[in-house]
Amino acid sequence: MCIRDRYSELYKRMAEELGVEANCVSGWAKGARYDPEAPLGPANHDWNAVKVGGKWYLVDAAWGAGNEIRGKYVREYSSYYFGPNPGRLIRSHWPADEKWQLLTANVSKENFEALLKYNGDFYDCGLLSTNPDTAIIQQREIVNIVINYDPAINMQVKAKLEYYNGHTYTEASNGWFVQKLSTYFHCTLALSKRGKYRATFYVKLATQENYYSAFAYIIHCDQDAKRHKELPSVYKDFSATKAVLHAPLTGPLKWGSVVEFKVQICGVKEVVVQTNSLVPLNKDDDIFAGKVEIDSEEVAVYYMYPGMTSYSGLLQYSVIK
């Protein structure tokens, strides 16, 4: 009997000792070593269904107790796996007996395999859904991702884009850019060349120090970009100030060109663009905009609050000649 069986059997016995009706549920789970491009193979996980107050609930005590991180088991309690919404759990757990989906309309195994897996921290931190919501994406040059969230919860999201070189994944520099809007995050990914990519998204509550993995896409790009594109690098204040970038959304910027900058940020006295000199943007309510000639190897955008005497960073762009 493997560990996953022991958890479900133990949980069933404990529930029955308390007079609670419980069943072990066998099926497929997208665990730590899940690969959306590999066939699922034989059933690989057990969890439970418990009946409380005349209603069935799903429980995965094994996943709720901890998880595997870089090949090692780490104890880390997660309340999410004790009675999650069945419509959410179906993204990661598919029972061999479909009645234990506990859904009014069952999800086929084929659709289960295609669905993007959301980790427990996705919901714990107030994220709601994504578009696209499939694990594998076919796209060229620019990929746009929308992540809907609960506005009542204050969270932050970041990403990591990696390119597969045939053996391992290596991080693609300046490959992602995330903005937080009123009810959703908008993320842009820049694919510079043909091949396979992995885009991993991380989330944390504003009160937490560490980010946690929320979900990951596999992206296939079938052609090289017509022009090399980089996305702006962000300072931590970009998210904290709830700034919104309207332009320019991609780089690198071209030396000698005149570029329109437009940033939306509330409560700020001044926004400037640093090239060889500081160029202030024109203020119209909470919109700062203006045209700037690019004449330095790097370009940065800074802001200043009323009453302050120094600037803080928002964004940085690379420049090509």
Side-chain angles (χ1 to χ4, degrees):
M1 181 180 289
C2 65
I3 291 176
R4 62 179 173 85
D5 298 323
R6 291 171 183 165
Y7 267 99
S8 60
E9 283 292 336
L10 177 60
Y11 194 90
K12 180 176 183 292
R13 292 180 185 180
M14 291 174 65
E16 289 173 343
E17 285 293 322
L18 295 172
V20 176
E21 186 178 353
N23 282 304
C24 291
V25 179
S26 294
W28 289 261
K30 300 173 180 176
R33 302 181 188 183
Y34 162 67
D35 179 354
E37 295 189 298
L40 287 177
N44 61 359
H45 194 59
D46 290 342
W47 57 101
N48 295 96
V50 294
K51 194 173 187 180
V52 179
K55 183 179 178 180
W56 285 101
Y57 296 87
L58 299 172
V59 172
D60 190 336
W63 283 25
N67 54 72
E68 185 180 314
I69 300 177
R70 290 186 289 274
K72 293 184 178 181
Y73 179 77
V74 177
R75 291 183 180 181
E76 189 173 38
Y77 172 73
S78 173
S79 61
Y80 169 74
Y81 293 104
F82 294 87
N85 182 317
R88 294 179 171 182
L89 193 68
I90 196 62
R91 288 183 168 273
S92 58
H93 293 61
W94 196 84
D97 186 341
E98 294 189 22
K99 76 177 183 181
W100 294 121
Q101 292 188 24
L102 303 185
L103 299 172
T104 53
N106 286 339
V107 173
S108 69
K109 191 177 180 183
E110 181 181 23
N111 286 342
F112 166 72
E113 292 187 73
L115 282 173
L116 180 63
K117 173 195 173 185
Y118 298 156
N119 297 326
D121 290 298
F122 181 95
Y123 295 114
D124 285 345
C125 291
L127 302 183
L128 301 175
S129 62
T130 62
N131 185 19
D133 71 347
T134 53
I136 301 173
I137 303 172
Q138 304 282 343
Q139 188 62 305
R140 297 176 179 176
E141 295 194 30
I142 295 295
V143 181
N144 291 299
I145 308 292
V146 171
I147 308 167
N148 297 300
Y149 69 88
D150 182 350
I153 301 175
N154 189 4
M155 83 293 288
Q156 296 176 13
V157 166
K158 69 176 185 178
K160 180 168 69 173
L161 182 65
E162 300 168 289
Y163 180 75
Y164 186 66
N165 61 17
H167 303 283
T168 59
Y169 282 98
T170 56
E171 189 165 357
S173 61
N174 292 50
W176 63 272
F177 179 64
V178 174
Q179 300 201 78
K180 187 176 185 180
L181 303 174
S182 58
T183 59
Y184 65 92
F185 290 90
H186 182 271
C187 178
T188 305
L189 304 173
L191 313 180
S192 60
K193 55 186 175 181
R194 74 178 66 205
K196 176 179 171 181
Y197 294 80
R198 179 172 63 196
T200 306
F201 288 79
Y202 303 86
V203 63
K204 78 178 187 72
L205 296 173
T207 55
Q208 295 175 321
E209 289 188 13
N210 298 322
Y211 281 89
Y212 299 92
S213 174
F215 60 94
Y217 292 104
I218 296 295
I219 305 170
H220 290 279
C221 178
D222 64 3
Q223 71 175 30
D224 295 333
K226 295 178 181 178
R227 183 177 72 86
H228 175 66
K229 293 181 180 178
E230 292 181 1
L231 300 173
S233 300
V234 296
Y235 294 90
K236 64 179 181 180
D237 283 7
F238 183 82
S239 176
T241 58
K242 299 181 181 179
V244 177
L245 175 66
H246 294 279
L249 292 173
T250 63
L253 306 181
K254 189 174 181 180
W255 187 292
S257 65
V258 176
V259 176
E260 176 77 29
F261 283 80
K262 186 177 181 181
V263 180
Q264 184 174 358
I265 181 171
C266 296
V268 166
K269 176 176 74 173
E270 191 175 355
V271 174
V272 299
V273 177
Q274 182 174 32
T275 55
N276 264 337
S277 60
L278 287 178
V279 180
L281 299 180
N282 299 316
K283 186 177 190 300
D284 182 6
D285 196 12
D286 59 354
I287 298 289
F288 294 81
K291 293 182 178 180
V292 178
E293 183 177 355
I294 308 303
D295 58 0
S296 61
E297 293 183 353
E298 286 187 343
V299 172
V301 181
Y302 297 98
Y303 73 98
M304 185 189 297
Y305 279 118
M308 304 296 289
T309 58
S310 60
Y311 292 104
S312 299
L314 285 175
L315 302 155
Q316 184 171 303
Y317 297 84
S318 61
V319 176
I320 57 171
K321 293 186 178 181

